[in-house]
């Protein structure tokens, strides 16, 4: 037959039933019973963090455990001191369990009126939801501060650390591998190499101090790549083909064009202002 999960509660409650003054007292007695089931022994009240070694351990709540509005009880488990604090605030009992040697803390909060319906009677009458409360006390208050990692968990952690150790460490100063262009017909095998001779070398002299002269960011209209058959309009060397849509009004800019090319009509330029002085403006008659 399975063990009764409520074994020992009736005896614990009978020892403190005459001391019960409010519903939060029932909660503290219930938490104390859960602690006692798991090996905790009370050694009195207060928040003293040292042990003398001659404290008397007991399964019974000490005298004066509920004399104040808040609760402070001292427990011992496996030679370590634990302090149980219970704080009444706005209808909620906030409970925390602190281990004194490293100040580790577990905590939980319980709505008093929802958890405790009566201050006397059987457990079902006192706390109809005692099964859920027992689970929360074990999970949030006791196991959080007393459980040790299992061997399987340690093995999994060790395995993860071993797999991580096999990976080379990330070095922020390590030079990344040179990127290679993608696509079926890359222009060059390595982006760090100079482009082939059939590509214009525009912009190289602005970036490479050892580059030969010319080839800056601005296209040189007087360079060997100039198209004398299509000078275009505007600055010497002209604009590229298609820069001015057909039929669009365009005001040329820059210095005047050079001498006209034999056999070609010069571009129209009749919308500029006449020069000052005695200029014959019969063209407007």
């Amino acid at each position: 037959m399975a063990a009764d999960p409520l074994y020992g509660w009736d005896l614990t409650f009978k020892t403190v039933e005459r001391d019960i003054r409010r519903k939060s007292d029932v909660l503290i007695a219930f938490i104390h019973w859960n602690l006692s089931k798991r090996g905790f022994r009370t050694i009195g009240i207060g928040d003293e963090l040292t042990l003398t070694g001659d404290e008397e351990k007991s399964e019974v709540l000490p005298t004066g455990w509920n004399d104040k509005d808040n609760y402070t009880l001292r427990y011992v488990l496996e030679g370590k001191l634990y302090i149980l604090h219970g704080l009444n605030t706005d209808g909620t009992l906030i409970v925390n369990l602190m281990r004194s040697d490293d100040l580790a803390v577990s905590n939980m909060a319980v709505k008093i009126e929802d958890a405790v319906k009566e201050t006397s009677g059987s457990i079902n009458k006192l706390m109809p939801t005692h099964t859920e409360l027992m689970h929360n006390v074990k999970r949030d208050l006791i196991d959080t501060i007393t459980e040790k990692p299992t061997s399987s968990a340690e093995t999994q952690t060790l395995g993860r650390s071993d797999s991580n150790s096999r990976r080379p460490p990330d070095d922020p100063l390590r030079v990344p591998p040179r990127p290679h262009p993608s696509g079926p017909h890359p222009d060059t095998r390595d982006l760090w190499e100079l482009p082939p001779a059939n590509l214009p070398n525009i912009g190289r002299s602005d970036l490479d101090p050892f580059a030969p002269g010319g080839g800056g960011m601005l296209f040189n209209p007087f360079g060997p790549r100039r198209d004398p058959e299509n000078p275009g309009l505007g600055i010497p060397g002209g604009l590229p083909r298609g820069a001015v849509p057909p039929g669009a009004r365009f005001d040329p800019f820059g210095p005047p064009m050079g001498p006209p090319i034999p056999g070609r009509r010069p571009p129209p330029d009749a919308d500029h202002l006449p020069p000052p002085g005695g200029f014959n403006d019969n063209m407007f008659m």
Side-chain angles (χ1 to χ4, degrees):
M1 183 176 63
D4 183 7
L6 293 175
Y7 178 79
W9 162 249
D10 289 338
L11 181 60
T12 298
F13 187 69
K14 289 297 182 182
T15 61
V16 298
E17 187 173 11
R18 293 182 181 180
D19 300 329
I20 298 296
R21 302 171 185 172
R22 50 193 183 270
K23 292 182 177 180
S24 61
D25 292 348
V26 178
L27 284 174
I28 292 297
F30 187 77
I31 292 172
H32 166 78
W33 169 68
N34 278 272
L35 292 172
S36 299
K37 285 178 59 176
R38 288 162 178 82
F40 287 82
R41 295 295 179 263
T42 181
I43 57 173
I45 60 176
D47 54 5
E48 176 63 39
L49 297 180
T50 58
L51 289 173
T52 62
D54 57 354
E55 290 86 359
E56 183 178 351
K57 304 176 182 65
S58 174
E59 299 180 15
V60 181
L61 281 168
T63 302
W65 64 275
N66 62 343
D67 286 348
K68 299 180 181 180
D69 292 337
N70 299 319
Y71 309 88
T72 307
L73 302 172
R74 306 174 75 215
Y75 289 88
V76 172
L77 176 67
E78 298 178 352
K80 296 181 180 180
L81 175 64
Y82 292 80
I83 307 295
L84 179 75
H85 292 276
L87 176 64
N88 276 300
T89 174
D90 296 330
T92 301
L93 181 65
I94 301 175
V95 184
N96 64 67
L97 184 64
M98 181 183 70
R99 188 168 53 214
S100 64
D101 60 348
D102 58 358
L103 302 183
V105 178
S106 62
N107 57 78
M108 63 178 297
V110 184
K111 290 286 186 181
I112 298 175
E113 292 297 331
D114 293 344
V116 182
K117 302 301 182 181
E118 303 290 341
T119 56
S120 62
S122 65
I123 185 66
N124 293 324
K125 184 179 179 181
L126 289 171
M127 294 177 288
T129 60
H130 62 274
T131 302
E132 179 183 355
L133 181 59
M134 185 186 306
H135 171 74
N136 293 340
V137 171
K138 178 180 182 300
R139 180 194 63 190
D140 300 333
L141 199 66
I142 301 177
D143 291 350
T144 302
I145 200 172
T146 60
E147 272 193 343
K148 297 179 181 179
T150 61
S151 57
S152 60
E154 292 174 351
T155 303
Q156 293 174 1
T157 303
L158 181 60
R160 286 195 298 267
S161 62
D162 290 344
S163 61
N164 292 335
S165 64
R166 297 190 187 101
R167 300 175 183 175
D170 293 333
D171 186 359
L173 300 180
R174 182 172 58 89
V175 178
R178 294 180 175 181
H180 289 276
S182 60
H185 302 290
D187 292 335
T188 177
R189 293 179 295 100
D190 192 337
L191 294 182
W192 292 78
E193 296 179 358
L194 294 178
N198 61 340
L199 294 180
N201 220 3
I202 299 174
R204 179 184 173 190
S205 63
D206 291 337
L207 303 175
D208 186 359
F210 301 104
M217 293 300 292
L218 296 179
F219 177 71
N220 183 5
F222 300 103
R225 297 185 59 82
R226 177 183 178 187
D227 184 6
E229 298 298 327
N230 186 29
L233 303 173
I235 62 173
L239 297 176
R241 187 192 301 265
V244 180
R249 178 183 175 87
F250 176 71
D251 293 332
F253 55 89
M257 298 296 297
I261 299 176
R264 296 189 60 178
R265 294 181 56 187
D269 194 19
D271 58 351
H272 60 274
L273 294 176
F279 180 75
N280 185 2
D281 58 354
N282 291 334
M283 61 180 294
F284 299 106
M285 292 181 63

